[in-house]
Amino acid sequence: MTHAWRHLDRDCDMSRWPHSAAWPIGSAFLTGALLEISTHPKPGLVTPRSTGAHRDMDLQSFMLSSAAIAPCLYQCAEAGLGHAGPVPALLPTVREIGSRYEARLLAATAGVNTQRGLLFSAGILSAAAGLVLRDRPGCEARALFDTAAEMVAGICDRELRHPGTRAPATAGETLYQRHGVLGIRGEAEAGFPTVRDHGLPALRAACGSGVPLSRALSHTLIALMAATEDTTILWRGGPDALGFIRSTARDILALGGALMPAGMNAIHAFDAECIARNLSPGGSADLLAVTAGVHVLTGGALPPAAAHSTGSAPDLTPTH
């Protein structure tokens, strides 16, 4: 066995805790990742039917990266379950685990960034869920978000507002210097308000509306796009592009989003326009995966897929 395989085996050895609550935690966020990548339509994003506004990634890129980062989610959950010190003291452990799996993600995709933002968010939330479930039998969304915020407290000051003489090392740090946006660090430090106030309510409403699962997720994505300060859009197109994305998403929600035929038609037109403008709301996509993961973790039910739906809502996805 090579040194690399010994390292991999050590990281992925789950036999030490076969009945751990880390399993349902990690599985919930892996479910969120898989649901996000399998959803269609998603304006400008990779789906099973489109590469969106991308030439360097496709559905299989996301399948490979999801498989690469899956063990990270379980390990972060287990780190939270086993943590005995102050909540903020858990963050360095989570970041170290995440750093290892970021390297594996990039190795799996030949250097293409498919899910680094999700790796950060889902890693933090998996660890926070471990902390919550360490002390109580269930995990409610409010406790999860509050614990995540406590864990990363001060991260924006340390890494964005007062980085010292260190040059920007990530796109998020560069965008803070250009536009003053806090990105996913700010979202986490505030307790994931975009997921809490926009993603989860939209997903719950869609799940109760009778539409198939993919349409419920498309609807949730549009709700997130209307609210997210999406740094992927800012990186590609600047503030004007972000304004276009958010205002168009709000207009689609006014039509009923993916829950209504007019909204679905508008989503398909929005997709074509995003592709033409080379815009891909990757930050919103990451938050869709987080939203679905939190929904599953906290006991939320999901509607059946279109092929098995017995509801009255038709599948409005074009076949061309």
Side-chain angles (χ1 to χ4, degrees):
M1 182 181 290
T2 66
H3 174 74
W5 279 108
R6 284 197 301 270
H7 182 70
L8 181 62
D9 186 64
R10 182 199 72 203
D11 287 348
C12 300
D13 181 12
M14 314 297 273
S15 63
R16 294 172 297 173
W17 26 284
H19 306 296
S20 172
W23 288 111
I25 295 170
S27 293
F29 287 107
L30 179 57
T31 297
L34 296 176
L35 288 176
E36 186 279 316
I37 65 175
S38 62
T39 296
H40 178 89
K42 294 183 307 196
L45 294 160
V46 172
T47 81
R49 302 188 184 191
S50 171
T51 57
H54 295 276
R55 294 186 179 91
D56 58 348
M57 62 181 76
D58 60 14
L59 180 66
Q60 290 184 327
S61 305
F62 282 85
M63 293 170 69
L64 289 168
S65 61
S66 295
I69 67 175
C72 176
L73 308 177
Y74 299 104
Q75 289 179 41
C76 287
E78 183 62 19
L81 287 162
H83 185 67
V87 172
L90 178 58
L91 182 61
T93 299
V94 174
R95 297 296 289 272
E96 192 276 330
I97 295 169
S99 179
R100 290 204 306 270
Y101 282 92
E102 180 180 5
R104 293 181 184 178
L105 182 157
L106 294 173
T109 62
V112 177
N113 174 16
T114 50
Q115 294 169 307
R116 288 167 77 181
L118 175 61
L119 178 63
F120 174 84
S121 297
I124 294 295
L125 286 166
S126 293
L131 284 170
V132 171
L133 288 173
R134 179 193 64 183
D135 299 324
R136 65 192 77 177
C139 185
E140 297 180 351
R142 179 181 295 275
L144 177 65
F145 294 140
D146 288 349
T147 302
E150 184 179 359
M151 189 193 314
V152 303
I155 192 172
C156 290
D157 279 344
R158 292 190 301 271
E159 299 184 8
L160 298 178
R161 297 187 183 99
H162 308 295
T165 59
R166 179 176 60 83
T170 67
E173 292 171 5
T174 299
L175 288 169
Y176 175 77
Q177 291 196 355
R178 290 180 185 173
H179 305 294
V181 297
L182 298 175
I184 192 57
R185 294 175 178 86
E187 178 75 14
E189 189 168 12
F192 291 91
T194 309
V195 175
R196 182 189 65 224
D197 299 335
H198 300 277
L200 283 173
L203 181 58
R204 289 165 180 160
C207 288
S209 72
V211 301
L213 178 56
S214 188
R215 278 178 59 194
L217 293 165
S218 291
H219 181 77
T220 305
L221 174 64
I222 297 300
L224 289 164
M225 290 171 67
T228 302
E229 196 169 54
D230 197 312
T231 53
T232 307
I233 294 294
L234 278 172
W235 185 263
R236 285 188 171 223
D240 289 345
L242 181 59
F244 161 73
I245 291 291
R246 296 172 82 171
S247 64
T248 304
R250 287 194 293 268
D251 290 343
I252 292 172
L253 289 177
L255 295 173
L259 308 185
M260 299 297 292
M264 281 297 295
N265 290 336
I267 290 171
H268 288 293
F270 192 18
D271 183 28
E273 185 66 19
C274 285
I275 292 171
R277 297 188 184 208
N278 195 37
L279 298 177
S280 176
S284 300
D286 289 340
L287 293 183
L288 174 60
V290 167
T291 298
V294 172
H295 181 74
V296 170
L297 179 64
T298 55
L302 293 171
H308 305 289
S309 177
T310 58
S312 59
D315 184 0
L316 302 179
T317 304
T319 58
H320 61 271

